[in-house]
Amino acid sequence: MDAGQYVGYVGGEERARGPITSGDIPLRLDSTLVLGQEQDLVSEGFDVLQIFRGHLAQVNIWNRSLGPDEVARQAACGEAAPLGNVFSSDRDDVEVFGATVETVEAAALCRSTEGFVVFPVLQHLEEAQQTCRRVGQQLYSPGTLEDNVALYNASLQFTDTCTSNYPLWIGATDRSEEGVWRKFSDDTEIKPPFALGEPNGGAGESCLLMFLGNGRWADTPCDLHWLACAPCQSNNDTPLRLRGLCFEWEAQTFFEVLGYRAKKPYFHGYYGLMIYSRGSGAWQMLDTTTGRQMATLSLTSEDLYPIGRHTWTLSAELCRRSPNTTVTLSLSVCDRFQFTCSSGDCVPKVFRCNGRDDCPDLSDEQDCSTVVVPDGYQRERPPSGRAEGQPLSLGVIVKIHRIMDISDVRRHVRMELEADMTWTDNQLKFRNLKDNLEFNRVSSRDSELLWTPRLLFPNAPSGDLKLVDKQAFISKTGPPEPDDFDDVRTGECLSVLLFVLPDADMPTNQHGSFGCTFDMFYYPFDTQRCSVLLQSSVSQDLVEFSRDQHVLTFLDDHNLPSYFVNSYRVHVTVLDTNQTIYSLLQVEFVLSRRWMMQVVSVFLPTSMLLCIGYSTLFVRVSLLQVRLVVALTTLLVLYTLFNHTSDDLPDTAYIKMIDVWFLHCISILFVIIIIHVVVEHLDKGASAQ
């Protein structure tokens, strides 16, 4: 520290620096320097859960700032490292409580040491490696003869379990380069203490076993179906984590593999909990700070360990749970970015519920429910809006897939459409959500637990709707909540602020007929306006359609057999029943009739008939019979065409434009016939005179 600045070093290298923000704290002359315990107050405010766990060596205090060179000498563990001029644990008297003192050379402080723990279970090589990985370790390989002797001596206590002439696997291989043996853990080269006549397998034997007789090694094929025990190299950088209890801090969940009890490795928590074997597959959790038994576990085999997820029976009240109740706990090395398989293996949490089996025991695809329903949730009541006192905003995406029939006579439009509704339910939380919406499908079981909006169709004849499909999805719209370090599965973070997209009672591909008022006066040059009405089943005070989150998409061809779809739109309105006001979504589309066929089949023939009738006026007056026969025949044909066309038209009480046209043509032909008769009468009168 210097001039209000601090500098932090790790291993002699600067890792951090910054200003000192805390103020001056006066110390009494009778104050005590306490090492290994966090103090909330001067010389008091101790907490048993805040005890330092580890090794302390050469604690020094100076009344000045050290330079980088001095810090480097301290980190080098040399004899020339200066002691603190205010305090030094190597010079001044230190009172020790609850700790052991060991004197070692200064150079030993910088020398890396490797520990090991033997798991006395006969396994193939791959299984032995998996056992070590599940406790955050690698298969152990002694680097020196002294380390090998220590491993051999430790293995002798397990001769009744590791019953083989070659009882231990060794964590080294020469697969990459024949004759050059490297550790599994860090790929460093070692010189194996081979037994007499070994190695003898050449490139076909790239793995190692320890000989029971003298602890020497023998090479062997890596795929050999040989059963031996697994020595695992201790690794303090990757602690085991016990999840499922009510720990306040993540560090309280940390465990490590230490010594042996009942000829089994035991697991010791950083803050006093201990899990150890009682034999015959029984395991016990003990609070070593109070000596109280906390929980017990019964496994089906003596060879199994409490790694992974298991159901424990409480022996004492714990986390507001009564004794003799069960609780699911997990013990694994999985961090917060990983999912804990039931076996204790770890997979990335994005693999959870992704439709593929990534855990060896397939547990990552079990219990993939996405919805977390809180206590007191009522599926009959819609959730509240985003603002207090505001109704729930309901977004709707309407897709018209096909218009299958337009009936002028029955006055309806039959179509296939889809309505996707979106809303936010702030009462719910969700787990195991993916970015791909398909993986966030809500199961039918979960759908029965949730409130979902129901749509009514005021202009659809009763019973004239056919349900084809009904699905519900959840879409992520925000980041998840922070991971719960005490979650027994890890990787199942809860997410909030999510939109649910179910199709509810208006599902995908719904067939339905909707009433439409047709004005046929201008037939066949008419333009019709039709609507599909979507009504919320709940009062507008509780649920309303969003005025800025409604979309209409027309997916069918705009050129229909009888009409053109000129335009379409959707807007929000209300339906007032004099008792309750409901929010209403109105989908409007404009239809223009395709008139070319009517022109060809009606107007062109009638025009031709009219011309024929009119042409009889130019026939000689003396040919009365010809003129009358042609005119009358034309009139009869025109009338027959009129009747045939009228049968295909909607039955209306008012006159249509096509009726006016026929009446006009018939009237003209009638007048032409009368003219022929009058002309003939006048001609006969003139002849008689």
Side-chain angles (χ1 to χ4, degrees):
M1 298 184 296
D2 186 22
Q5 295 284 323
Y6 73 87
V7 182
Y9 293 86
V10 177
E13 298 180 0
E14 181 181 333
R15 296 293 182 86
R17 66 166 57 231
I20 300 174
T21 57
S22 60
D24 295 336
I25 301 177
L27 297 177
R28 299 191 300 266
L29 293 178
D30 60 347
S31 298
T32 303
L33 176 64
V34 179
L35 302 175
Q37 174 63 256
E38 180 185 348
Q39 301 170 238
D40 296 326
L41 299 171
V42 178
S43 297
E44 56 182 303
F46 301 117
D47 189 338
V48 69
L49 297 178
Q50 297 174 355
I51 296 175
F52 171 76
R53 186 187 181 283
H55 301 279
L56 288 175
Q58 289 189 329
V59 178
N60 297 294
I61 298 178
W62 286 266
N63 60 1
R64 61 180 178 82
S65 298
L66 298 183
D69 295 338
E70 293 177 297
V71 174
R73 288 204 304 273
Q74 291 285 336
C77 305
E79 298 291 346
L83 302 180
N85 59 2
V86 175
F87 170 80
S88 175
S89 60
D90 284 9
R91 182 188 63 230
D92 301 312
D93 294 333
V94 178
E95 193 173 5
V96 179
F97 296 95
T100 58
V101 178
E102 182 181 1
T103 302
V104 297
E105 297 179 356
L109 299 177
C110 293
R111 187 182 307 130
S112 62
T113 58
E114 294 181 350
F116 62 86
V117 175
V118 177
F119 283 81
V121 179
L122 291 174
Q123 298 174 312
H124 298 129
L125 175 60
E126 184 176 347
E127 296 171 334
Q129 290 178 290
Q130 187 180 56
T131 295
C132 293
R133 284 195 299 269
R134 286 176 176 171
V135 294
Q137 302 176 3
Q138 292 281 354
L139 199 62
Y140 177 60
S141 175
T144 64
L145 289 176
E146 292 79 7
D147 292 340
N148 190 61
V149 171
L151 175 61
Y152 173 70
N153 291 333
S155 69
L156 295 178
Q157 61 181 308
F158 305 115
T159 54
D160 57 339
T161 304
C162 304
T163 54
S164 171
N165 290 333
Y166 297 92
L168 294 182
W169 290 104
I170 300 298
T173 181
D174 68 342
R175 283 175 174 173
S176 58
E177 185 178 354
E178 177 62 24
V180 179
W181 296 88
R182 298 184 181 276
K183 292 183 178 182
F184 288 162
S185 59
D186 56 11
D187 204 38
T188 57
E189 184 178 352
I190 60 173
K191 300 297 182 183
F194 283 112
L196 184 63
E198 299 288 345
N200 58 6
E205 297 185 354
S206 298
C207 290
L208 298 169
L209 286 165
M210 176 179 282
F211 180 51
L212 177 62
N214 55 14
R216 295 286 176 165
W217 300 357
D219 61 343
T220 184
C222 295
D223 57 354
L224 179 68
H225 293 289
W226 186 266
L227 297 176
C229 294
C232 299
Q233 180 175 323
S234 300
N235 181 5
N236 296 326
D237 296 334
T238 309
L240 288 154
R241 292 171 169 85
L242 179 67
R243 295 184 172 93
L245 296 179
C246 48
F247 293 124
E248 297 182 24
W249 305 294
E250 186 175 6
Q252 292 177 268
T253 67
F254 292 172
F255 276 69
E256 61 182 338
V257 185
L258 288 181
Y260 307 96
R261 189 161 181 174
K263 293 188 176 182
K264 292 279 188 180
Y266 67 83
F267 307 88
H268 195 278
Y270 286 12
Y271 290 90
L273 289 182
M274 177 179 176
I275 299 175
Y276 62 92
S277 172
R278 295 166 52 190
S280 302
W283 290 80
Q284 179 171 300
M285 184 188 303
L286 178 71
D287 187 348
T288 59
T289 61
T290 62
R292 185 175 62 161
Q293 179 177 316
M294 307 302 295
T296 58
L297 172 66
S298 295
L299 299 177
T300 57
S301 172
E302 176 74 18
D303 294 337
L304 297 178
Y305 289 83
I307 303 297
R309 292 200 305 273
H310 298 281
T311 301
W312 291 71
T313 302
L314 297 182
S315 304
E317 184 177 353
L318 184 63
C319 299
R320 298 182 180 180
R321 296 185 179 96
S322 303
N324 299 321
T325 58
T326 59
V327 59
T328 301
L329 304 179
S330 70
L331 184 65
S332 73
V333 296
C334 304
D335 59 30
R336 63 178 56 193
F337 302 106
Q338 296 174 310
F339 171 76
T340 303
C341 305
S342 296
S343 60
D345 294 293
C346 306
V347 298
K349 70 178 182 180
V350 295
F351 291 174
R352 169 73 167 141
C353 297
N354 64 350
R356 295 187 295 270
D357 296 318
D358 298 293
C359 285
D361 57 1
L362 315 182
S363 59
D364 58 309
E365 297 301 318
Q366 298 173 0
D367 188 21
C368 287
S369 175
T370 56
V371 183
V372 180
V373 181
D375 295 335
Y377 182 85
Q378 300 181 24
R379 67 180 304 268
E380 298 81 10
R381 297 178 55 187
S384 58
R386 293 188 177 182
E388 185 177 357
Q390 295 295 319
L392 176 67
S393 181
L394 191 65
V396 180
I397 302 174
V398 180
K399 301 176 183 177
I400 299 178
H401 290 279
R402 287 191 304 159
I403 295 181
M404 298 176 289
D405 179 42
I406 300 176
S407 176
D408 301 321
V409 177
R410 298 179 61 186
R411 297 192 305 166
H412 76 205
V413 176
R414 185 168 185 81
M415 65 178 62
E416 178 184 326
L417 55 82
E418 172 185 346
D420 293 334
M421 293 178 288
T422 65
W423 72 96
T424 302
D425 195 333
N426 291 321
Q427 303 176 77
L428 301 175
K429 292 186 178 181
F430 307 90
R431 68 171 83 238
N432 305 320
L433 294 183
K434 309 298 180 187
D435 294 329
N436 188 339
L437 195 65
E438 182 64 28
F439 289 109
N440 299 338
R441 188 189 303 269
V442 179
S443 65
S444 57
R445 182 185 62 181
D446 287 341
S447 295
E448 295 176 356
L449 303 176
L450 307 180
W451 177 88
T452 54
R454 187 166 65 92
L455 292 180
L456 304 178
F457 303 90
N459 67 331
S462 178
D464 202 7
L465 290 174
K466 181 181 179 182
L467 178 66
V468 177
D469 193 12
K470 181 178 181 178
Q471 302 180 59
F473 302 92
I474 304 170
S475 176
K476 289 201 302 184
T477 60
E481 291 182 344
D483 294 325
D484 182 5
F485 65 82
D486 210 23
D487 187 354
V488 294
R489 289 183 173 86
T490 322
E492 288 193 335
C493 55
L494 297 180
S495 300
V496 294
L497 196 60
L498 298 154
F499 282 106
V500 183
L501 286 86
D503 297 322
D505 290 276
M506 187 57 195
T508 304
N509 296 338
Q510 167 124 14
H511 295 276
S513 296
F514 302 93
C516 183
T517 301
F518 287 85
D519 184 0
M520 304 297 295
F521 179 76
Y522 292 101
Y523 180 90
F525 305 104
D526 55 322
T527 298
Q528 308 296 340
R529 294 181 178 272
C530 292
S531 299
V532 177
L533 302 180
L534 289 77
Q535 173 197 331
S536 169
S537 62
V538 184
S539 168
Q540 189 181 24
D541 295 336
L542 301 176
V543 177
E544 67 175 1
F545 290 112
S546 172
R547 296 187 177 274
D548 56 0
Q549 292 183 9
H550 54 266
V551 179
L552 173 62
T553 305
F554 191 88
L555 302 177
D556 198 5
D557 188 358
H558 287 60
N559 299 323
L560 303 178
S562 300
Y563 287 90
F564 296 104
V565 180
N566 285 350
S567 61
Y568 46 85
R569 71 186 186 101
V570 59
H571 65 276
V572 177
T573 181
V574 296
L575 177 65
D576 191 349
T577 64
N578 295 325
Q579 295 179 346
T580 306
I581 298 178
Y582 296 96
S583 185
L584 192 70
L585 192 71
Q586 186 170 2
V587 178
E588 294 182 347
F589 47 95
V590 178
L591 302 174
S592 296
R593 193 180 302 274
R594 305 183 72 164
W595 45 260
M596 181 58 68
M597 188 62 187
Q598 297 295 332
V599 169
V600 173
S601 61
V602 175
F603 289 97
L604 182 60
T606 54
S607 298
M608 295 172 64
L609 291 173
L610 192 62
C611 291
I612 292 173
Y614 184 75
S615 65
T616 59
L617 294 175
F618 299 94
V619 178
R620 285 183 298 175
V621 176
S622 60
L623 299 176
L624 174 64
Q625 185 175 2
V626 173
R627 286 184 285 130
L628 288 177
V629 170
V630 172
L632 287 172
T633 303
T634 302
L635 178 61
L636 291 175
V637 172
L638 183 62
Y639 184 75
T640 302
L641 180 61
F642 174 53
N643 286 334
H644 177 73
T645 303
S646 298
D647 291 339
D648 295 333
L649 296 180
D651 187 11
T652 61
Y654 54 85
I655 296 177
K656 297 175 284 294
M657 289 295 295
I658 195 170
D659 298 328
V660 174
W661 169 256
F662 273 107
L663 290 175
H664 171 71
C665 294
I666 291 174
S667 299
I668 291 177
L669 290 176
F670 173 78
V671 170
I672 291 175
I673 293 175
I674 295 301
I675 291 174
H676 288 321
V677 173
V678 171
V679 169
E680 179 63 20
H681 176 73
L682 293 176
D683 182 62
K684 287 183 178 180
S687 300
Q689 294 177 358

